[in-house]
Amino acid sequence: MGTLVCTIELDKVKGITVTVDNADANIVQTVTMDGTAITLKVAGPSDTSTVVQKADSIVVTVKDFKVDAQTITLLSKGTSEWTSQDTLKVTSTKDMSLTTQAKLTQTATQDASISSSAKVNVEATAALALKGLTASMEATGGEAKIEGLTLKAAGKTDTQVTGLNVKVAGQAALDLEAQGMANLKASGITSVSGALVKLG
């Protein structure tokens, strides 16, 4: 590195300006204290970074900003906002939690997905609603179970229940009813039995 040119300017109106000029690297470092703000500026051949500190704010403007610390704590007494104009990625090598004492809203204008290599639990102490233009649920390796105090399944046009073996059982009563035609058909034996059987 060649010789640096260092200057200090004292002005009763403009304050203090300290400048370090590295002509070989085309880099100029400037520290300015004007009585209102402290400004740190590094100007290079293609990029410039600045830090402006005032009594109520600190603004950092830089192409690449990194913080390397063992622990980081951020506390905001007012509204906090984080905006990325490109991809935003949050990664943890251990457990991660997202908690709010009020309402939580997650929105995506394109596809959204939640996946886990282990279990996924979705639980609500009040109502739980799942809605989509089309909906499907599949258990690829075992039983698929739906349980509730009252269970209702309704199709606005058609309702189909299909399986290799299908069983419908009622512990107290079982009602099968159609407003129009009702068909009971089997390609093999059809059996109707009970302590009392009434047809017609």
Side-chain angles (χ1 to χ4, degrees), residues 90-106:
V90 180
T91 305
S92 175
T93 58
K94 293 187 178 181
D95 293 347
M96 179 184 295
S97 63
L98 179 63
T99 305
T100 177
Q101 301 299 319
K103 182 179 179 181
L104 174 63
T105 302
Q106 293 179 298

Side-chain angles (χ1 to χ4, degrees), residues 46-50 60-65:
S46 58
D47 297 302
T48 300
S49 64
T50 60
V60 179
T61 304
V62 66
K63 182 179 180 179
D64 187 11
F65 182 72

Side-chain angles (χ1 to χ4, degrees), residues 106-116 120 122:
Q106 293 179 298
T107 304
T109 57
Q110 298 186 28
D111 292 347
S113 63
I114 299 176
S115 63
S116 173
V120 175
V122 179

Side-chain angles (χ1 to χ4, degrees), residues 14-176:
K14 296 181 180 180
I16 301 175
T17 301
V18 178
T19 303
V20 177
D21 189 351
N22 182 355
D24 291 342
N26 196 18
I27 296 175
V28 178
Q29 300 170 315
T30 307
V31 180
T32 304
M33 293 178 284
D34 60 6
T36 301
I38 300 175
T39 302
L40 306 178
K41 180 179 179 181
V42 179
S46 58
D47 297 302
T48 300
S49 64
T50 60
V51 179
V52 180
Q53 180 178 355
K54 296 182 179 180
D56 59 352
S57 67
I58 298 177
V59 178
V60 179
T61 304
V62 66
K63 182 179 180 179
D64 187 11
F65 182 72
K66 294 180 180 179
V67 176
D68 188 352
Q70 186 170 349
T71 60
I72 298 176
T73 301
L74 300 177
L75 175 62
S76 172
K77 294 183 179 179
T79 302
S80 299
E81 183 175 348
W82 189 348
T83 301
S84 174
Q85 295 180 347
D86 206 321
T87 302
L88 176 62
K89 183 178 181 180
V90 180
T91 305
S92 175
T93 58
K94 293 187 178 181
D95 293 347
M96 179 184 295
S97 63
L98 179 63
T99 305
T100 177
Q101 301 299 319
K103 182 179 179 181
L104 174 63
T105 302
Q106 293 179 298
T107 304
T109 57
Q110 298 186 28
D111 292 347
S113 63
I114 299 176
S115 63
S116 173
S117 57
K119 296 180 179 180
V120 175
N121 295 320
V122 179
E123 182 178 351
T125 57
L128 174 64
L130 301 175
K131 183 180 181 181
L133 182 63
T134 61
S136 64
M137 183 183 71
E138 180 181 0
T140 59
E143 181 183 46
K145 185 177 181 181
I146 301 176
E147 183 177 350
L149 186 62
T150 301
L151 180 62
K152 294 182 179 180
K156 292 184 178 180
T157 55
D158 295 329
T159 302
Q160 297 181 5
V161 179
T162 305
L164 183 63
N165 294 293
V166 178
K167 181 180 180 180
V168 180
Q171 300 298 322
L174 175 63
D175 294 329
L176 299 175

